[in-house]
Amino acid sequence: MDKLLIQGGVPLCGKVGISGAKNSAVALIPAAILADGPVVIENLPHIEDVEVYVELLREMGADVLFEDDWIEIDGRPIRETFMPNGKVKKLRASYYLWGALLGKFKEAQIGLPGGCDLGPRPVDLHIKGFEALGAVVENRKGVMIIRAERLKGARIYMDLVSVGATINIMLAAVYAEGVTTIENAAHEPEIVDVATLLNNMGAKISGAGTDVIRIQGVDKLRGCRHTIIPDRIEAGTYMIAAAATGGDVTLENVISKHMEPVTAKLREIGVEIIEGDDTIRVIGHKNYRAVDIKTSPYPGFPTDLQQPMTTLLTQSKGTSIVTDNIYSARFRHADELRRMGATLKIEGRSAVLEGPSTLMGAKVVASDLRAGAALVIAGLLAQGTTEVEGLEHIDRGYENLVQKLQNLGARVTREKLYKAEQK
Ligand SMILES: CC(=O)N[C@H]1[C@@H](OP(=O)(O)OP(=O)(O)OC[C@H]2O[C@@H](n3ccc(=O)[nH]c3=O)[C@H](O)[C@@H]2O)O[C@H](CO)[C@@H](O)[C@@H]1O
Ligand SMILES: C=C(OP(=O)(O)O)C(=O)O
C-alpha cells in the first residue's frame, strides 16, 4: 500500500494530456465481446479498472492483447459465463458483463458489482430492462443469474436516468429480435461512445445522446477499430486543481462541449477559461465567489466532480451549498477537508461551506475515487505537507496522476506506507 506526499502551495502551470474516459473504457471492453471478430480499442487509459477488466475477460477465455494505449479483444473463444464474486467486486462496471453475456449467450451468472461506496446503488433498473427483453433474473446469494430462451425487443421506460442501466440494456438488446426502445435514457457522452462502437460493429442504434434510444436487433456483429473519447471527469479534475492552486494549465485532448457544465460553474466563481479546438486553458485567480451546485444527469453538473469542486469552494468568499442529487452519501471527504481547516457541514444531501478557509496539510484517507481527487486538490492548495492514503481508490480512475501533476510543477511523490501505518 502506498501514500501520496504533497507539499502544497505551488500553482499548477503547463500542459496536461487528458486520457481516454474510464466510464467509456469499462463499457467498451465488455461491448467488444459481442463481436464475431477482433475489436481494437484505442486511447485506453492505464487505470486499475481497465486492468481488472482485462483479467476478467482473460479468465472467461477471451483473447486479449493489451499494448501501450490500445487493446485488441477477441470474444469468440469465450465459453465461461460464470463469474461469481472476487474480481467483479473490484469495480462497478463489471455489471456490463450481465448485458454483454446475455446478448451473446442468452445467459450470465455474474456476481453483484463493487465500485465507489456512495450510499445505496441499486440495480433494479438493469433487472427491469433484462426482464422486459424476456430474461428471467434471480439473485442467488449475490450472484445474478440471468437467462433467456430468446431475447425480444421491447419498449422500456426508465423510472430514473441511469447510465449503467441504459448501457446494459443496449448491450443485451443489440441481439434481441425486433426493436427495443429505451425511454428516459441517460444522455452521457459515454453512452454515445458505446453506441458508436456498437454501430461500427454493425448494430443499428439511433438516438444515443437523447431521451429515446432505438435499437433494431441484428444477427451478427463484426470486429472494428474504435478510439475512446477523452475523460471529462479527469479533465474536470485538472481544471479544478488549476483553479484551486491559482495556476495556469492547458488541457490537451478534450471535448469542450462535454466540459460545459464544469466550465460554466468555474466561470461563475471567477475562473478564466479559454477554449480551443481540443484544448481548454484554465487561468486561476484568488478571490473566488461562492456558488451553489446541484448535481444531475448530463448535461447537468456531474456528481463525479462534486467532491473535487467542494474542495475548490473552500476557497470562495461566502456561503456555497453543494447538493448531490444522484448519491445520498457522497460526502465522506467532508471530515477530511474539515481536518485540513475547511469550514463545512453536511445537511442531508448537501454540504454547506463557509469560505474562504486556509487549508493546512494533514494526514487524510480517501474513502472513494473522487474523494481521493478532492483530497489531492486540497493537498495541492494547502500550506505544508499532506499525506493521502487510500490510493487504491484513486488508482481505479486516474492514469499517471503523480507524473501528470509533477509535470505541472506540483511537489508530489508516491511512497510506500510503513507497516505500522497500515491499518
Ligand atoms: C462505471 C460508471 O459509468 N460509473 C458511473 C455511472 O454509475 P452508475 O451507472 O452506477 O450510476 P447510475 O447512472 O446508474 O445511477 C444514477 C442514480 O440512479 C440510481 N439507480 C441506478 C440504477 C438502478 O438500477 N436503480 C437506481 O436507483 C442510482 O442509485 C443513482 O442514484 O454513472 C454515475 C452517475 O453519473 C457516475 O457517478 C459513475 O461514475
Ligand atoms: C463513481 C465512480 O465510479 P464507479 O461507478 O466506477 O464506482 C466515479 O468514477 O466517480
Side-chain angles (χ1 to χ4, degrees), residues 22-23 49 92 115-116 118 121 304 330 369-370 396:
K22 157 189 171 275
N23 287 348
D49 272 15
R92 187 80 197 148
C116 290
L118 314 169
R121 300 183 74 178
D304 293 351
R330 202 168 198 176
L369 170 56
R370 309 302 170 184
R396 286 189 49 221

Side-chain angles (χ1 to χ4, degrees), residues 232-233 235-240 243 251 254-276 279-283 288-289 291 293 298-302 305 309 312:
R232 64 197 166 93
I233 306 301
T237 304
Y238 285 103
M239 290 171 77
I240 293 167
L251 282 70
V254 278
I255 298 176
S256 296
K257 177 92 189 134
H258 294 174
M259 303 313 303
E260 272 171 5
V262 183
T263 305
K265 274 296 160 190
L266 289 178
R267 284 192 172 128
E268 213 177 310
I269 72 168
V271 181
E272 196 180 333
I273 294 177
I274 303 165
E275 292 166 88
T279 61
I280 294 182
R281 183 172 168 200
V282 181
I283 305 167
Y288 291 133
R289 289 182 284 278
V291 293
I293 294 196
Y298 187 85
F301 191 90
L305 287 173
M309 197 69 182
L312 174 58

Side-chain angles (χ1 to χ4, degrees), residues 145-223:
I145 303 184
I146 310 169
R147 289 199 179 100
E149 289 291 317
R150 52 196 275 247
L151 292 172
K152 216 167 164 311
R155 191 169 154 194
I156 301 167
Y157 178 81
M158 312 287 279
D159 302 324
L160 273 176
V161 175
S162 162
V163 173
T166 302
I167 292 179
N168 241 337
I169 295 168
M170 287 198 313
L171 294 175
V174 282
Y175 278 136
E177 295 162 29
V179 176
T180 299
T181 49
I182 309 174
E183 295 175 2
N184 199 24
H187 293 200
E188 269 67 2
E190 292 75 23
I191 287 166
V192 180
D193 209 17
V194 175
T196 304
L197 170 77
L198 292 170
N199 281 340
N200 288 342
M201 283 160 58
K204 293 187 175 153
I205 302 175
S206 56
T210 74
D211 283 357
V212 182
I213 300 179
R214 185 178 186 279
I215 305 143
Q216 165 78 59
V218 295
D219 293 334
K220 203 171 160 71
L221 295 172
R222 56 179 178 269

